[in-house]
Amino acid sequence: MISAGQKYLINTDQWFFAPDGENYKAVFGTVHAVVDAEQTLGLKTNRNSTNWYVAIGDMIIAGCQIHYAMRADKFNSSPSERSEVDHNGARIAVTNAISRIYNADASGLISEVPASQPGDLFCV
């Protein structure tokens, strides 16, 4: 269970853009709440949409975008030294210029949402 007040490293299914203009595949920060769509968006979603969200640091992640979530007190903000990508049938070694983990606590802003009520949360 993801617990409010704890720090997590969350890997997302899709890349996302952060305020710094870079794109990231993971986020690190303090979880403030796990909430439903009505509390987050102000409207009730239908059964074809995610109905839960995680408020972490200065951002909110849709539950269906969370691939992995792990409890962590800190993370390594250095870019990975080496990774491999497949391009045109060839595997190419590349280095990253920046870390692809967004630090959602760095701005000092907090994504505030009302506390969640117990209930059935799901992701489609």
Side-chain angles (χ1 to χ4, degrees):
M1 174 176 15
I2 298 175
S3 302
Q6 300 291 319
K7 291 186 181 288
Y8 284 84
L9 176 61
I10 296 177
N11 295 328
T12 57
D13 285 338
Q14 301 297 321
W15 292 89
F16 62 90
F17 283 99
D20 62 5
E22 296 292 341
N23 55 9
Y24 296 90
K25 192 81 161 99
V27 59
F28 171 82
T30 305
V31 169
H32 302 292
V34 178
V35 293
D36 66 22
E38 196 165 1
Q39 293 164 298
T40 306
L41 305 173
L43 55 96
K44 191 171 256 183
T45 58
N46 65 28
R47 65 182 178 91
N48 295 324
S49 300
T50 188
N51 77 337
W52 66 284
Y53 296 80
V54 173
I56 180 170
D58 59 6
M59 70 180 292
I60 296 173
I61 303 173
C64 62
Q65 282 299 309
I66 296 173
H67 196 76
Y68 297 106
M70 60 204 85
R71 200 36 211 95
D73 289 324
K74 58 185 178 177
F75 77 105
N76 183 352
S77 62
S78 300
S80 59
E81 293 180 18
R82 180 183 157 114
S83 60
E84 295 177 343
V85 296
D86 291 325
H87 180 68
N88 290 334
R91 182 153 289 179
I92 303 167
V94 297
T95 56
N96 290 317
I98 66 167
S99 171
R100 294 301 171 193
I101 303 171
Y102 175 65
N103 186 348
D105 284 345
S107 72
L109 299 173
I110 296 174
S111 54
E112 294 187 34
V113 291
S116 180
Q117 298 297 320
D120 296 327
L121 301 178
F122 64 91
C123 188
V124 180

